[in-house]
Amino acid sequence: MNYSFEPIGVIRSPYREKFGIPRQPSLVSAARVRLELLPPYDHPDCVRGLAEFSHVWISFVFHQTMDRGWQPLVRPPRLGGNAKVGVFASRSTHRPNPMGLSLVELVSVSVDYGVALELAGADLLDGTPVLDIKPYIPFVESRPDAAGGFVDGPPPLLRVEWSEAARRHLAEADAPAGFAQLVEQVLAQDPRPAYQDDPERIYGVSLYCYNVRFGIAGGVARVLEILPAA
Ligand code: SAM
């Protein structure tokens, strides 16, 4: 049997490419994402009562990677990139049905021009198609006693420093509110691929319309420049 689904909305996100997106939601709370509902789901009736919930589950499509297929075994970054686990024991984007599920904070619901949700801490790429929204029900779904497998606890964070040039670029840029905090939280997660440790290497991450250039050495991420995205 085959099933086909259509998106009920689309994500507008500061994350313009996969590199730099946190590996799970809530790790970068400064990321503000807008979920715009599409017709015919953009009717206020569809979200009546939703604003009373603080968190929602977002089901979505890994649209940017879905044509790369899947493998039964994957190498989670949390295991250093070498050890393998089954695809269904992982949150890999490469799955038989390329669907993601993220629990995010619901900041506000707007019904003024169409319907849009403001979400905090999402791990979603700009343009991500959304299949469903469901309210998070704490008494059923919060299980602090649950076993976290190989992902028991948050990853260690890097310290983040700014170069003089990056500070100047930030002051001159017309960046959205919270941009500096977003940069710091993204870099603190260490976006490098597992086992890549080259202190000379300069990386770039796309946030909003900026290319944030940085290096990582000795547990410190240094913001080098903030340039307009190409
Ligand atoms: N929380 C979700 C889950 O558990 O299903 C996603 C986890 S997945 C490991 C998170 C990664 O998905 C992000 O770091 C980003 O690289 C990737 N991602 C986010 N949106 C995507 C999209 N639309 N297409 C492909 N990859 C995406």
Side-chain angles (χ1 to χ4, degrees):
M1 244 184 284
N2 287 321
Y3 303 91
S4 87
F5 299 106
E6 64 173 18
I8 56 102
V10 65
I11 293 290
R12 303 293 171 214
S13 164
Y15 300 121
R16 303 295 158 87
E17 61 181 10
K18 274 190 74 206
F19 182 64
I21 304 182
R23 293 180 176 120
Q24 284 301 332
S26 87
L27 296 172
V28 173
S29 58
R32 286 300 169 98
V33 158
R34 190 176 163 85
L35 165 44
E36 295 174 357
L37 296 196
L38 297 169
Y41 316 104
D42 60 343
H43 192 282
D45 281 355
C46 294
V47 292
R48 192 187 298 177
L50 187 64
E52 291 168 24
F53 293 86
S54 64
H55 291 75
V56 288
W57 292 107
I58 303 295
S59 309
F60 62 95
V61 181
F62 290 117
H63 75 303
Q64 201 180 76
T65 49
M66 59 185 290
D67 54 0
R68 291 192 213 152
W70 67 282
Q71 298 288 333
L73 291 171
V74 300
R75 301 170 197 262
R78 278 303 285 273
L79 290 178
N82 270 339
K84 294 179 181 174
V85 301
V87 64
F88 299 128
S90 84
R91 294 299 190 100
S92 170
T93 55
H94 305 288
R95 323 185 65 81
N97 294 309
M99 289 172 53
L101 182 66
S102 292
L103 178 63
V104 294
E105 183 185 347
L106 176 61
V107 178
S108 64
V109 179
S110 135
V111 292
D112 296 337
Y113 304 97
V115 175
L117 311 185
E118 196 187 338
L119 308 171
D123 54 349
L124 304 171
L125 187 66
D126 191 44
T128 295
V130 171
L131 297 178
D132 204 0
I133 304 162
K134 288 179 182 165
Y136 170 71
I137 303 172
F139 95 93
V140 183
E141 296 176 306
S142 168
R143 299 303 301 263
D145 55 333
F150 61 87
V151 211
D152 226 2
L157 296 180
L158 298 177
R159 192 154 58 81
V160 180
E161 293 177 349
W162 293 72
S163 71
E164 278 308 311
R167 280 194 193 288
R168 202 174 55 248
H169 296 162
L170 181 65
E172 289 165 0
D174 188 20
F179 182 73
Q181 198 189 5
L182 176 65
V183 170
E184 291 185 3
Q185 290 184 3
V186 164
L187 299 193
Q189 295 293 318
D190 193 349
R192 295 173 300 177
Y195 277 136
Q196 199 172 98
D197 191 11
D198 178 357
E200 303 299 319
R201 185 158 177 168
I202 296 176
Y203 299 88
V205 65
S206 291
L207 295 173
Y208 292 104
C209 56
Y210 299 98
N211 178 15
V212 178
R213 292 170 60 75
F214 65 99
I216 296 180
V220 179
R222 188 166 173 77
V223 192
L224 301 171
E225 293 177 299
I226 300 195
L227 306 174

